[in-house]
């Protein structure tokens, strides 16, 4: 079937725009990492990640041109200082690629379901396969190097059982015992500790290399929020005699040289924030202890407030590129009347 005359839908336009923004940002981050990596096992993984992002950007550019779709500004050479000194440890780079590949899998899988044109579905499906392959390869290396904490082991069930009392869902009464966490609840608590750990380190790296006081303050506030959330999730696990994640050594250097543009750093943090919000919503939806659900709702609100502050800061300095949308019909009508 000839698709040439089939117009892009709003979901396809939004998906392609979002992918381009994310992938051009990733290109900048990964290109800088490649400049300093020494580990012979980690360097190929980061290079593979860079090649994936670079290839996606090229494919997107071709799609935009064929669809007469204005190419977004995104991020480029002006957003990364390749002369800046070493900032991230090799282990951080590997952990970063592994965690961001998870973000990519969630993002691309949702975009597949929102695409209609076969050419767009093929592109997004292939991109999903790319990040899935990257996740598997980065996970293999991470496990081999002891840089990826496994989720806790629990006893395998030997028979099925059913819930017989509503107390199973309780957890707010301080004078009554809370039931033990189930496997689904443990997995999400553990996941959110690990993702917040990555965010904490990114915030620290961005805070110490940004030349702007407002960006520094924002990053440090975000870092403290990540630490607070890690503490809450870890204590919940400890209260249930579950081992907390042993976060690997993924430290950053003491460099204070501006490395990435403030525009890129703020955009990256908004991506981390939106991913974290999605994680919390999912965790709250599948948790069956009411205290966990309320915790996720409360923490999601805190993250939402942080996202609002980030958006305000980006608008103030003209860093927030506007996503494609429909024209304001009322303004068009008023403009026509004046003419």
């Amino acid at each position: 079937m000839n698709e040439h005359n089939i117009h892009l839908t709003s979901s396809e336009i939004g998906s392609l725009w979002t992918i381009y923004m994310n992938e051009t940002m990733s290109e900048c981050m990964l290109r800088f990492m490649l400049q300093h990596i020494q580990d012979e096992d980690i360097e190929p993984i980061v290079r593979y990640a860079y090649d994936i992002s670079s290839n996606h950007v090229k494919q997107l550019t071709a799609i935009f041109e064929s669809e007469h779709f204005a190419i977004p500004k995104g991020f480029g050479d002006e957003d990364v200082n390749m002369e800046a000194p070493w900032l991230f440890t090799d282990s951080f780079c590997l952990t970063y690629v592994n965690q961001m590949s998870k973000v990519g899998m969630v993002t691309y899988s949702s975009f597949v379901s929102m695409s209609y044109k076969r050419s767009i579905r093929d592109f997004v499906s292939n991109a999903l396969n790319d990040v899935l392959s990257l996740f598997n390869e980065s996970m293999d290396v991470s496990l081999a190097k002891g840089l990826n904490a496994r989720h806790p082991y629990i006893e395998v069930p030997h028979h099925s059982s059913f819930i017989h009392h509503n107390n199973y869902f309780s957890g707010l009464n301080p004078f009554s015992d809370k039931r033990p966490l189930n496997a689904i609840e443990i997995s999400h608590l553990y996941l959110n500790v690990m993702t917040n750990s990555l965010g904490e380190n990114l915030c620290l790296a961005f805070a110490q290399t940004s030349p702007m006081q407002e960006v520094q303050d924002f990053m440090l506030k975000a870092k403290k929020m990540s630490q607070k959330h890690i503490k809450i999730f870890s204590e919940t696990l400890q209260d249930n005699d579950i081992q907390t994640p042993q976060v690997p050594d993924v430290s950053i250097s003491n460099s204070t040289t501006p490395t990435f543009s403030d525009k890129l750093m703020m955009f990256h943090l908004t991506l981390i924030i939106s991913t974290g919000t999605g994680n919390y919503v999912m965790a709250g939806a599948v948790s069956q202890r009411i205290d966990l659900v309320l915790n996720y709702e409360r923490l999601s609100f805190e993250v939402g407030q942080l996202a609002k502050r980030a958006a305000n800061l980006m608008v103030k300095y003209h860093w927030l590129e506007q996503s494609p949308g429909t024209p304001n019909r009322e303004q068009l009508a008023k403009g026509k009347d004046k003419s």
Side-chain angles (χ1 to χ4, degrees):
M1 179 183 295
N2 188 350
E3 290 189 323
H4 183 69
N5 294 323
I6 301 177
H7 296 295
L8 293 174
T9 64
S10 56
S11 59
E12 290 167 335
I13 291 172
S15 298
L16 294 172
W17 185 89
T18 300
I19 295 169
Y20 187 88
M21 296 295 292
N22 292 348
E23 294 289 22
T24 54
M25 181 273 293
S26 294
E27 270 192 307
C28 294
M29 291 288 295
L30 297 167
R31 194 188 331 149
F32 178 78
M33 290 179 178
L34 283 171
Q35 180 128 318
H36 299 281
I37 289 179
Q38 300 295 320
D39 191 293
E40 295 181 354
D41 297 317
I42 295 176
E43 193 273 344
I45 298 297
V46 178
R47 184 166 300 282
Y48 182 35
Y50 173 80
D51 290 343
I52 287 174
S53 291
S54 181
N55 187 45
H56 289 174
V57 170
K58 291 176 183 176
Q59 293 179 61
L60 285 165
T61 301
I63 292 173
F64 291 150
E65 291 174 349
S66 68
E67 297 288 346
H68 306 291
F69 186 140
I71 299 175
K73 174 67 175 173
F75 301 94
D77 294 340
E78 68 277 10
D79 294 299
V80 56
N81 177 14
M82 297 300 291
E83 303 302 317
W86 169 73
L87 179 61
F88 304 116
T89 61
D90 290 3
S91 56
F92 176 89
C93 294
L94 179 61
T95 301
Y96 174 88
V97 168
N98 182 256
Q99 292 290 341
M100 294 306 293
S101 67
K102 296 178 184 178
V103 175
M105 287 191 291
V106 173
T107 302
Y108 282 119
S109 61
S110 66
F111 288 164
V112 169
S113 65
M114 294 191 292
S115 299
Y116 297 89
K117 288 184 71 169
R118 182 55 186 262
S119 59
I120 304 301
R121 279 185 285 129
D122 285 345
F123 165 71
V124 181
S125 297
N126 290 334
L128 175 59
N129 288 331
D130 288 339
V131 294
L132 177 59
S133 175
L134 177 63
F135 167 76
N136 283 323
E137 294 203 23
S138 61
M139 179 64 78
D140 288 342
V141 176
S142 295
L143 291 173
K145 289 183 169 292
L147 295 174
N148 200 310
R150 295 177 184 268
H151 283 232
Y153 290 102
I154 63 173
E155 187 176 356
V156 175
H158 299 293
H159 57 83
S160 62
S161 59
F162 291 84
I163 299 170
H164 297 289
H165 200 284
N166 288 338
N167 285 345
Y168 187 86
F169 306 110
S170 63
L172 290 179
N173 189 346
F175 301 105
S176 63
D177 293 333
K178 299 173 184 177
R179 65 154 174 83
L181 296 168
N182 61 40
I184 296 171
E185 292 162 345
I186 293 170
S187 64
H188 282 278
L189 287 165
Y190 212 77
L191 171 67
N192 285 312
V193 170
M194 297 304 295
T195 54
N196 271 286
S197 177
L198 175 69
E200 177 187 357
N201 279 284
L202 269 180
C203 288
L204 185 59
F206 290 164
Q208 71 184 43
T209 56
S210 172
M212 291 188 62
Q213 186 65 49
E214 285 181 276
V215 174
Q216 295 171 24
D217 292 343
F218 173 83
M219 294 297 172
L220 292 176
K221 180 178 179 63
K223 171 181 171 288
K224 289 180 181 178
M225 183 175 291
S226 290
Q227 291 175 325
K228 172 188 172 182
H229 291 195
I230 289 171
K231 185 173 185 290
I232 291 171
F233 298 139
S234 296
E235 287 180 349
T236 303
L237 289 167
Q238 290 174 339
D239 289 345
N240 287 266
D241 299 316
I242 302 294
Q243 181 182 0
T244 56
Q246 297 299 308
V247 180
D249 178 19
V250 291
S251 61
I252 59 175
S253 77
N254 294 326
S255 172
T256 57
T257 303
T259 305
F260 304 102
S261 69
D262 289 298
K263 171 190 167 186
L264 183 146
M265 292 188 291
M266 290 299 300
F267 176 86
H268 201 332
L269 254 293
T270 60
L271 175 60
I272 296 293
I273 288 170
S274 64
T275 302
T277 302
N279 288 341
Y280 287 3
V281 170
M282 175 61 74
V286 299
S287 296
Q288 294 179 305
R289 247 176 49 179
I290 190 63
D291 59 316
L292 299 180
V293 175
L294 294 179
N295 254 350
Y296 284 123
E297 289 180 354
R298 176 172 58 86
L299 299 181
S300 293
F301 178 77
E302 290 183 3
V303 174
Q305 292 295 103
L306 187 68
K308 183 176 184 297
R309 179 173 176 178
N312 291 339
L313 186 58
M314 294 177 75
V315 169
K316 177 179 179 180
Y317 290 104
H318 310 290
W319 295 332
L320 189 59
E321 189 166 349
Q322 183 173 320
S323 59
T326 58
N328 187 314
R329 303 296 178 181
E330 185 174 340
Q331 287 184 0
L332 286 176
K334 290 179 178 178
K336 180 186 68 177
D337 292 341
K338 289 179 181 179
S339 62

